[in-house]
Amino acid sequence: MNTLAAWILAVGLALPAAAAAQAVDTGGGRLRVAGFGRVVWPPDAYELAFAAVGDGADARAARERFEPALAAVRRVLDAHAGALAERAQDPPRLHSRGDAQAPAWRFSSRFALRVRGEAELIRLQQELAEAGVAEFELRPSSERLPDYTEQAQRLALRDAERRARIAADELGWRLGGARSVKFLDERPAWLPQTPTARQFGARAYDYAAEAPAQTGEVTAQAEVEFEYSR
């Protein structure tokens, strides 16, 4: 029994106590197997975020600097409207950045875009920088993420079946059909990066935190319960 438990743990199976009792009484039971799938995808769109800002010693001065900066950003975005799959803007926000001895105020408004194509992304960032934008947040994306998600889920199912068959063959069991399937939104342990986006029910990951615009990954985890007989 200890050998059986060690093998099940090694191949990533979780066998409930109720299923173990059923195996003793009826000569069969159920295996619960975790399977993982990963699809590497090339970005064909990019999530770009930045802010238009205006600083001043008082609120009036901040507004006088902010309004032309905001107008310049909007002109650039209007000129590139055909390359933007999505465009959103937060309301202008005024907040204090100084203290009583050295008062300072800032108006800011954050923009979030989805840009199609790398060439358009480069031109857009250049023109926004010339309009006064100093910092950008950039993440890879793809308009085919639903397809990549489905591919990752299929790979997770195949991996679960492979693990179940390894255990069944080694233990002399006859593997039956799948009785239940559950997809889990969890990050496999072998992916070191934190998620950069959550879209279409899956997580997208970067290869390296210092280069967030590199090729990403979509992962899937499936928990499948199989019948078996002895």
Side-chain angles (χ1 to χ4, degrees), residues 78-136:
D78 290 343
H80 291 264
L84 303 182
E86 297 179 14
R87 171 178 171 177
Q89 178 190 352
D90 291 343
R93 174 174 174 258
L94 175 65
H95 55 100
S96 174
R97 305 180 66 243
D99 52 35
Q101 287 72 32
W105 293 84
R106 166 172 287 184
F107 266 105
S108 65
S109 182
R110 186 177 184 274
F111 290 81
L113 315 173
R114 183 187 292 269
V115 187
R116 300 188 186 97
E118 182 177 310
E120 193 68 28
L121 173 71
I122 293 173
R123 288 193 294 269
L124 180 58
Q125 289 181 95
Q126 175 189 343
E127 295 183 24
L128 287 171
E130 293 170 353
V133 177
E135 296 182 8
F136 297 95

Side-chain angles (χ1 to χ4, degrees), residues 72-220:
V73 166
R74 285 174 171 170
R75 285 194 296 270
V76 173
L77 298 185
D78 290 343
H80 291 264
L84 303 182
E86 297 179 14
R87 171 178 171 177
Q89 178 190 352
D90 291 343
R93 174 174 174 258
L94 175 65
H95 55 100
S96 174
R97 305 180 66 243
D99 52 35
Q101 287 72 32
W105 293 84
R106 166 172 287 184
F107 266 105
S108 65
S109 182
R110 186 177 184 274
F111 290 81
L113 315 173
R114 183 187 292 269
V115 187
R116 300 188 186 97
E118 182 177 310
E120 193 68 28
L121 173 71
I122 293 173
R123 288 193 294 269
L124 180 58
Q125 289 181 95
Q126 175 189 343
E127 295 183 24
L128 287 171
E130 293 170 353
V133 177
E135 296 182 8
F136 297 95
E137 299 174 23
L138 183 61
R139 295 174 177 175
S141 185
S142 174
E143 296 185 350
R144 294 191 57 202
L145 275 180
D147 297 333
Y148 298 136
T149 298
E150 182 177 331
Q151 292 178 30
Q153 290 175 339
R154 291 179 181 273
L155 291 174
L157 292 175
R158 294 173 189 169
D159 185 46
E161 182 178 7
R162 178 186 63 82
R163 291 169 180 262
R165 291 197 180 281
I166 289 175
D169 291 346
E170 182 68 20
L171 299 168
W173 297 348
R174 179 178 299 173
L175 190 67
R179 303 299 299 175
S180 66
V181 176
K182 180 181 180 182
F183 289 105
L184 306 176
D185 186 18
E186 295 183 0
R187 175 171 146 238
W190 36 264
L191 283 178
Q193 288 300 316
T194 57
T196 61
R198 183 187 295 267
Q199 295 177 350
F200 306 106
R203 289 184 176 182
Y205 297 87
D206 295 328
Y207 275 134
E210 65 274 11
Q214 292 185 2
T215 303
E217 297 177 342
V218 168
T219 64

